[in-house]
Amino acid sequence: MDLGELSDELEIISRVYERRFGVARTDDWLVLKLHEEVGELTQAYLARSGRSRDRGEGEQAVDAAFRAELADVLAQVLLVARRFDVDLEAELERKWFRWRHLVEPADEAGVRAGDGPAPT
């Protein structure tokens, strides 16, 4: 699934959220919701790294919460980008991938499926 298809699917689910919970998905709400999700990711990270109080959830539940919050942040980023008509693929190309010419073999080691482990 590419980013466009993913964005479409997330938009549909976000509309269900709006309808079901009566939340107006305004521009402000989308950006503030992203902020909320980043806060929840931070909280999950602190729990995962042992830097918050132990709530007795167990390691698997803490890891699952971290993964879920990462998904929430990504989903909300894609929804914000969609709302403000930002082509994230183009922006990644412009902002990040312009550095491709500096990539060395060691930088790629262990990153792609089938690669060996990264050098230590």
Side-chain angles (χ1 to χ4, degrees):
M1 184 177 290
D2 70 12
L3 286 181
E5 292 170 347
L6 189 57
S7 175
D8 291 347
E9 292 298 316
L10 292 167
E11 177 65 21
I12 292 165
I13 298 302
S14 187
R15 289 177 183 183
V16 169
Y17 183 94
E18 178 178 45
R19 177 177 45 80
R20 185 169 172 98
F21 298 108
V23 174
R25 297 176 328 118
T26 64
D27 293 352
D28 286 352
W29 182 86
L30 284 165
V31 172
L32 292 170
K33 186 69 173 171
L34 172 59
H35 185 75
E36 175 190 353
E37 296 300 347
V38 169
E40 291 174 1
L41 172 61
T42 302
Q43 184 179 25
Y45 173 75
L46 288 172
R48 187 173 189 259
S49 64
R51 292 185 276 175
S52 67
R53 67 183 172 91
D54 183 356
R55 297 180 181 185
E57 296 173 323
E59 188 176 334
Q60 287 182 345
V62 169
D63 283 345
F66 180 73
R67 290 190 307 270
E69 294 306 334
L70 275 171
D72 284 349
V73 169
L74 176 59
Q76 205 62 37
V77 164
L78 290 172
L79 289 168
V80 170
R82 178 187 189 91
R83 174 64 60 95
F84 293 102
D85 199 26
V86 174
D87 180 346
L88 284 178
E89 291 177 14
E91 290 304 315
L92 287 169
E93 189 67 41
R94 184 187 65 78
K95 181 78 175 172
W96 283 78
F97 301 139
R98 67 188 174 115
W99 301 103
R100 279 189 187 113
H101 67 284
L102 299 175
V103 172
E104 297 179 3
D107 299 322
E108 295 179 306
V111 173
R112 293 182 178 90
D115 285 353
T120 55

